[in-house]
Amino acid sequence: MMGLLDSRPDGFPSVEEAIQWHINTHTLRNPFSARISVPSIFVQSSDSNSAHEWVWRTPLRSTAPYWTSWFKSLSSKFLACRTARLLVLAGTDRLDKELMIGQMQGKFQMEVVPDVGHMLHEDNPRKIAQVLVEFWRRNERVVIGVKKVGEL
């Protein structure tokens, strides 16, 4: 994570340059989506000595002490859930050993969406919606006596 933070600028001279950076680095690949979502993650700098007019709204470096606890045992907790599981990814290059083994054993459904950046749901919302609906339909449980939405 620190490598990621080290590779991103501290700010930008304009929101348009921030949007363009997200597109150029493939953080987002959908320019329409980037124009909507990127401006909200920046604020005008309140520091008159700042080299940048626009800075990140959330100072991620300050959250670094919590990263380990956020991700510790996340894969094992995901695999231990007693329900249908779906993992949607932009690529499989960062799957840990535990998830790779779990996927090979059929413990969860994995969908890899090509040609998307970090924000898959913004880059290809139709594909993500299709994956979610198919997963829901395949795993829908009908409880006798309970009406479905639309049957009320």
Side-chain angles (χ1 to χ4, degrees), residues 16-147:
E16 188 57 40
E17 287 188 43
I19 293 167
Q20 199 57 51
W21 180 84
H22 279 79
I23 294 168
N24 291 345
T25 60
H26 300 295
T27 302
L28 272 163
R29 294 186 183 207
N30 180 338
F32 178 76
S33 172
R35 288 188 183 1
I36 294 170
S37 63
V38 169
S40 66
I41 61 175
F42 289 92
V43 294
Q44 280 193 294
S45 176
S46 58
D47 181 2
S48 59
N49 296 325
S50 174
H52 307 286
E53 176 77 16
W54 294 89
V55 295
W56 302 89
R57 177 180 300 275
T58 306
L60 289 181
R61 286 187 196 280
S62 67
T63 65
Y66 307 101
W67 296 346
T68 303
S69 64
W70 286 345
F71 298 110
K72 187 177 182 180
S73 304
L74 188 60
S75 295
S76 61
K77 289 176 183 174
F78 172 73
L79 292 170
C81 289
R82 295 182 50 120
T83 187
R85 295 168 298 257
L86 170 67
L87 184 61
V88 184
L89 304 168
T92 58
D93 56 328
R94 294 196 179 155
L95 269 185
D96 62 22
K97 182 180 177 181
E98 195 168 7
L99 284 177
M100 287 203 306
I101 292 170
Q103 197 274 329
M104 286 185 233
Q105 293 174 338
K107 292 185 176 181
F108 64 93
Q109 177 185 338
M110 183 173 74
E111 289 286 337
V112 178
V113 181
D115 302 320
V116 294
H118 182 69
M119 300 179 195
L120 311 98
H121 58 289
E122 292 188 27
D123 286 335
N124 197 341
R126 288 183 196 272
K127 178 64 176 173
I128 299 303
Q130 176 188 8
V131 167
L132 292 173
V133 168
E134 287 174 6
F135 178 78
W136 172 73
R137 285 186 177 144
R138 192 171 32 262
N139 295 286
E140 181 181 20
R141 303 285 190 259
V142 178
V143 179
I144 298 173
V146 177
K147 294 183 178 183

